[in-house]
Amino acid sequence: MKRRMRILALVLAVFCLCATLSGCKYLDNMRANHAKWIDVQTILWNDTEYKLLPKSDELRPIYDNYDNIYVTETDVPVLLSRLMGEWMEPCNEGLLLKGDNIYCRADKYDEIVKRIQEGFVPDGCYYPYVDYESEYWDTLYYELKTDELEAVENVLATVQGEVLPEIAYPTYDYLIELELCTKDLLFSQHYVDIFVINDSYYLVDYVEDDMVMYEVPDDMNDIFGKITKFLVESEDDYWGKDYWDEEEDLDVEGL
Amino acid sequence: MVRKLFKHEILAYLRAVLPIQMILIVVAAAGRVLQIFESDHIIYDIIFGSAVFAFVVGCIGCVVYNLVFAVIRFYKNLFSGEGYLSFTLPVTPTQHILVKLLTAFLFQMISVVIVLVSISIITAGDMFTEIMKAIGYMVSEAQSVTKGQLVFYILEFVLWLMVSSLTQILLYYTCVAIGQLFRKNRVLAAVGTYVVYYFIMQILYTIFIAVFSVVSSRLPMEEIALYIAGHYLEIIHWVLCGGFILTAITAGVYFLITHIMINKKLNLE
């Protein structure tokens, strides 16, 4: 009996030791995504302080594709963080986006506030596209080359634009939105949209309540084709060729 | 004599229910030990997922098995061949029912405790600490919302749960007691009794909902809602106490029916 009790006590002790020494990945993930309010304007996340930035129309942080984090009061336990917390999106350059508010890492705060106060100075023209071939469908940014940007500016300057009322919004095959951005993509401003309608290119600018549409001359189609090279060219790229092959088997005239 | 009856009843439950509970503890311990080898590999996910599934099934099975054993023991001990021996003992039918009821209830509570212990085993360590923190936080939040009434709410709710458990057991006893009136297929008759009871309850519930919908459309619902919002603390007490009393009355009715069946309509095999 004594021997059995000793063996049982040993098993329990080993179990307790293993239980206390091993971690829990689920909890670790929750802790990694749990932030706490220090005060109304300051958040503590992963032992780093984040401060609320002044509002700026040009400050457009890009969502970083990580799990959302949840910010709660300091006394809320981690298991209740998703239930009771407000969610925030981690963005590029150490920013956190919560609704319309943007929080910045304390060590970068002064630098970004200074840039906001100095005003927006674009370094280039970009548009976002999705890399469907990558494992996680990455969102990337295409930067227009000098000649491509010059082509866009040339069309806007030389082509007579057609003013369309808002209700006459044209149907299009594809659309990309060009943004003037800083190199780090932190600040951006909408520039102009490129509409692709029946293999023709149009630039669309928005002036108050109206749209101004510029038809790209045919001799510039090549360069606009290069600009829009990351557009999805056909449904084949989405669904694969097999999906559309079935249409070729249909003999409509024979019906 | 009643004490001896209790003793034998408890021993019978221990022989039947204890192995299941021990298995649950072992499954929980195995689940916890498995977490030591935690990794991102899909094989671990499959194995751990299966272990958690087995644990959940084990928890449900532990509680359900106890209930099933209680009903089977009630039937075998009082309405099968063993009944001839049971009713020769110097024990009244009321005492028979009470002994079986209280033992079933006791082991039901023990099953619940074993399930809670198993949960604490499978979450032992960091997770258990966080669960306790979360519970502590929710209790303190509830305490401030209910202005100190939480303890009473919990007490009333626990009492209601306990009476509900007794009522559930008594319901099955009543079905078995009515089923034994039939000469053949008594078990089937007991099941049929439960089905008929369930069917009648559903009809009554539907009628109640229909009547309530008609009546409530003529009531000043806005004033009622305002009153509830302003007196919610008292209303929770009424609901809990009212539920307790209603359930206790139902338990009394089931007990009475079972008692009458055993006392006046006993029909042993």
Side-chain angles (χ1 to χ4, degrees):
Chain A
M1 189 64 186
K2 246 188 184 175
R3 193 159 175 264
R4 281 183 196 172
M5 293 304 291
R6 279 184 194 159
I7 292 170
L8 184 65
L10 183 65
V11 166
L12 276 171
V14 168
F15 174 78
C16 289
L17 193 67
C18 293
T20 49
L21 290 178
S22 66
C24 179
K25 202 172 67 171
Y26 177 76
L27 264 184
D28 292 338
N29 284 341
M30 285 195 83
R31 284 194 183 115
N33 295 336
H34 182 204
K36 296 189 180 190
W37 290 109
I38 295 176
D39 56 49
V40 180
Q41 302 203 335
T42 316
I43 289 169
L44 185 70
W45 180 44
N46 282 346
D47 297 325
T48 307
E49 275 190 17
Y50 291 78
K51 291 161 79 169
L52 178 65
L53 284 170
K55 291 247 189 260
S56 162
D57 288 337
E58 283 89 22
L59 183 58
R60 306 248 188 100
I62 298 160
Y63 182 48
D64 240 352
N65 245 0
Y66 291 119
D67 292 334
N68 286 337
I69 63 169
Y70 295 86
V71 59
T72 65
E73 297 297 327
T74 46
D75 57 348
V76 174
V78 66
L79 282 178
L80 297 176
S81 59
R82 291 183 189 190
L83 190 65
M84 305 188 68
E86 299 165 78
W87 61 275
M88 302 180 73
E89 299 168 4
C91 299
N92 57 333
E93 304 296 319
L95 300 183
L96 297 176
L97 180 63
K98 181 181 163 299
D100 291 334
N101 292 332
I102 302 170
Y103 294 78
C104 169
R105 259 194 356 235
D107 59 341
K108 288 198 159 192
Y109 181 79
D110 293 333
E111 178 201 328
I112 293 181
V113 166
K114 191 177 167 200
R115 285 172 72 179
I116 291 171
Q117 286 165 353
E118 282 171 357
F120 169 59
V121 177
D123 296 324
C125 186
Y126 296 75
Y127 71 83
Y129 69 95
V130 180
D131 180 7
Y132 289 103
E133 286 178 15
S134 76
E135 194 179 345
Y136 295 104
W137 286 11
D138 285 331
T139 299
L140 304 174
Y141 280 77
Y142 177 73
E143 184 182 4
L144 269 63
K145 310 282 185 299
T146 313
D147 59 330
E148 291 166 352
L149 185 56
E150 277 173 3
V152 171
E153 288 166 353
N154 193 12
V155 170
L156 291 172
T158 59
V159 173
Q160 178 66 34
E162 184 189 347
V163 178
L164 302 172
E166 201 178 343
I167 56 166
Y169 196 83
T171 52
Y172 54 86
D173 299 330
Y174 304 104
L175 155 72
I176 60 171
E177 297 175 359
L178 295 181
E179 303 258 329
L180 295 170
C181 304
T182 53
K183 269 274 180 281
D184 54 11
L185 302 176
L186 201 56
F187 292 87
S188 68
Q189 194 180 65
H190 181 259
Y191 184 30
V192 74
D193 293 343
I194 301 177
F195 280 45
V196 181
I197 304 171
N198 295 330
D199 296 328
S200 295
Y201 299 95
Y202 299 83
L203 296 181
V204 174
D205 196 4
Y206 302 90
V207 180
E208 292 176 355
D209 292 334
D210 293 330
M211 289 182 300
V212 183
M213 200 165 188
Y214 305 83
E215 186 174 355
V216 170
D218 291 339
D219 58 344
M220 296 180 91
N221 277 354
D222 286 341
I223 201 162
F224 273 83
K226 273 200 310 178
I227 293 171
T228 58
K229 66 180 177 180
F230 288 109
L231 284 176
V232 174
E233 291 183 358
S234 73
E235 284 83 350
D236 286 346
D237 292 330
Y238 278 110
W239 304 110
K241 293 200 182 301
D242 293 339
Y243 183 86
W244 295 101
D245 277 348
E246 291 172 7
E247 276 201 18
E248 293 170 12
D249 294 331
L250 282 176
D251 181 10
V252 178
E253 288 173 18
L255 290 172
Chain B
M1 191 63 214
V2 172
R3 237 182 282 172
K4 279 188 182 170
L5 211 58
F6 259 120
K7 179 185 155 192
H8 285 285
E9 200 67 26
I10 288 168
L11 283 172
Y13 270 84
L14 282 173
R15 276 193 298 269
V17 169
L18 196 64
I20 306 291
Q21 293 171 346
M22 290 302 106
I23 290 171
L24 182 65
I25 301 270
V26 168
V27 167
R32 186 61 187 93
V33 168
L34 202 61
Q35 289 172 62
I36 294 167
F37 306 102
E38 189 173 28
S39 76
D40 292 328
H41 210 279
I42 191 162
I43 292 175
Y44 172 79
D45 288 340
I46 292 169
I47 294 172
F48 184 65
S50 309
V52 170
F53 177 74
F55 174 71
V56 171
V57 166
C59 287
I60 297 168
C62 184
V63 175
V64 169
Y65 179 78
N66 192 76
L67 206 55
V68 168
F69 180 75
V71 175
I72 291 172
R73 182 155 175 85
F74 181 74
Y75 171 75
K76 277 198 168 156
N77 212 237
L78 295 182
F79 302 111
S80 68
E82 280 180 42
Y84 288 100
L85 178 62
S86 298
F87 288 110
T88 59
L89 297 169
V91 178
T92 65
T94 306
Q95 284 167 333
H96 269 301
I97 298 168
L98 278 174
V99 164
K100 287 188 166 20
L101 176 68
L102 292 175
T103 316
F105 175 70
L106 174 68
F107 276 85
Q108 193 76 334
M109 294 299 109
I110 291 172
S111 294
V112 169
V113 167
I114 294 290
V115 165
L116 291 173
V117 166
S118 311
I119 290 170
S120 66
I121 289 171
I122 203 169
T123 59
D126 216 4
M127 180 60 97
F128 184 75
T129 312
E130 289 298 334
I131 290 172
M132 288 295 110
K133 277 188 198 169
I135 291 171
Y137 181 81
M138 286 193 291
V139 165
S140 68
E141 287 292 300
Q143 185 78 334
S144 61
V145 166
T146 58
K147 294 175 188 150
Q149 300 283 309
L150 184 68
V151 171
F152 301 107
Y153 292 150
I154 291 172
L155 203 65
E156 286 159 11
F157 183 68
V158 166
L159 282 171
W160 188 9
L161 271 183
M162 287 165 79
V163 170
S164 298
S165 177
L166 286 166
T167 308
Q168 187 79 2
I169 298 167
L170 277 169
L171 168 64
Y172 297 138
Y173 284 1
T174 307
C175 293
V176 167
I178 293 173
Q180 62 89 34
L181 294 173
F182 293 76
R183 259 195 288 166
K184 287 183 183 175
N185 299 320
R186 291 161 170 235
V187 173
L188 208 60
V191 172
T193 308
Y194 180 78
V195 169
V196 167
Y197 158 83
Y198 184 80
F199 187 65
I200 291 169
M201 290 309 290
Q202 288 298 306
I203 291 173
L204 287 174
Y205 181 67
T206 310
I207 293 169
F208 173 76
I209 293 292
V211 166
F212 182 76
S213 308
V214 168
V215 166
S216 66
S217 63
R218 289 163 199 211
L219 291 173
M221 294 308 287
E222 270 184 37
E223 281 92 339
I224 291 171
L226 272 168
Y227 181 82
I228 291 171
H231 298 86
Y232 66 94
L233 293 173
E234 294 92 337
I235 287 169
I236 293 173
H237 279 300
W238 294 347
V239 167
L240 290 171
C241 294
F244 171 81
I245 292 167
L246 199 65
T247 312
I249 292 171
T250 313
V253 168
Y254 293 151
F255 187 92
L256 198 62
I257 295 172
T258 310
H259 183 266
I260 291 170
M261 292 295 141
I262 291 175
N263 215 14
K264 310 273 186 207
K265 304 276 183 187
L266 192 61
N267 181 25
L268 295 176
E269 281 176 1

